[in-house]
Each structure stands twice: as structure tokens, then as C-alpha cells.
Amino acid sequence: MVLRQFGGTMTDTKLADQADFIRKRITELRLQRNMSEYELSLALGHCQGYIQSIVSGRTLPSMTAFFEICNYFDIEPWEFFFPSIKNPTMVHELISSFQKFPDQDQQFWLLTLKRILAYYEGNKSLSEMMHTDFLTK
């Protein structure tokens, strides 16, 4: 199927799905702030119908506008594509702290995290885990 959008053609369903994701994600972020499309358009410094033109499928944001949107919602561009991240500030702190370790220590902490997650997936609490030989395996 060929879609005539964005000043050209989109023949790839994946591209259409990605464009739809961007529109829905902007709407999700906007609604989390209880903002109208109009309010967000103006807050980003665009004309009043800018966000409406994106979510209706008439256009997509430029890269500059995409970065402005991410900045406005205080998220990194990569986080835009991971809506399951509920606390980006904590994720930033975790990544920043993790990067301070040398590679060997990063490997240790990653292995430790994987072991903790395996216990959680087995429906065990952190206190139950600590009463086992978890750290010596």
C-alpha cells in the first residue's frame, strides 16, 4: 500500500507504523501534562495548529522540532521511543552512576542485576534473596 503523506510516498508499512507511533506518543506526553494541542503548539513556539497537524497525520516534526518536543517534556530523544520508562530522572541517574565504573565493575553490576531479576521473576522478594547464597553463586 502506498501512502501519500509528508510531501512524498511511504511504501513501507513499517514507516507508517513509526509515524503513527510518533503521533500517539506526542499525544500521550501532552495528555500527561493535561495540555491541549493548541497549548503545546504555543509552548513549543509554533503556530496554534502545529501539534494538531502532526497528530492528524498531515506532517511529522522535523528533527529540530522533535528535539524541542523531547526537551519540553524533559526526556532524552531515545526515551521518547520507550514509553514504558516511568521515571526518566532515576534512569538518567542510574546510567550516569553506572558509567563511572570501569568495564570490569560494570560487568559485575550487570551480572548482579541479572541475578536479582531472576529472583524477582521467580516471585521472590529481595529479603528472601538476601537470605540465600545469592551473592556467592
Side-chain angles (χ1 to χ4, degrees):
M1 177 167 83
V2 176
L3 299 174
R4 298 237 175 244
Q5 292 185 354
F6 318 119
T9 62
M10 293 180 68
T11 57
D12 187 350
T13 304
K14 186 175 181 179
L15 289 176
D17 289 345
Q18 291 168 342
D20 191 50
F21 173 84
I22 290 169
R23 289 191 289 274
K24 288 178 180 177
R25 181 71 167 132
I26 289 171
T27 298
E28 176 187 352
L29 292 167
R30 176 182 62 79
L31 292 175
Q32 287 175 359
R33 294 265 179 111
N34 295 316
M35 298 180 77
S36 68
E37 293 172 349
Y38 172 83
E39 291 170 322
L40 181 56
S41 294
L42 295 181
L44 294 170
H46 292 276
C47 67
Q48 64 188 18
Y50 179 70
I51 294 298
Q52 200 281 326
S53 69
I54 292 172
V55 300
S56 70
R58 286 193 308 256
T59 190
L60 281 173
S62 67
M63 286 301 295
T64 300
F66 171 73
F67 291 136
E68 290 169 350
I69 290 167
C70 291
N71 186 54
Y72 182 81
F73 289 111
D74 197 30
I75 59 174
E76 297 293 328
W78 66 267
E79 292 170 313
F80 181 91
F81 298 99
F82 293 93
S84 61
I85 296 175
K86 300 300 180 200
N87 190 337
T89 302
M90 187 179 357
V91 172
H92 293 166
E93 184 178 353
L94 180 62
I95 291 170
S96 177
S97 297
F98 190 78
Q99 290 174 333
K100 293 176 184 175
F101 289 107
D103 287 348
Q104 185 176 5
D105 290 345
Q106 288 180 4
Q107 291 171 356
F108 166 80
W109 287 114
L110 183 58
L111 177 62
T112 302
L113 181 59
K114 286 180 179 181
R115 288 182 179 173
I116 291 170
L117 290 173
Y119 273 84
Y120 275 123
E121 289 169 359
N123 294 321
K124 293 191 178 194
S125 69
L126 190 57
S127 61
E128 289 174 312
M129 180 188 71
M130 297 309 290
H131 286 47
T132 66
D133 60 349
F134 165 77
L135 293 175
T136 60
K137 287 185 179 180

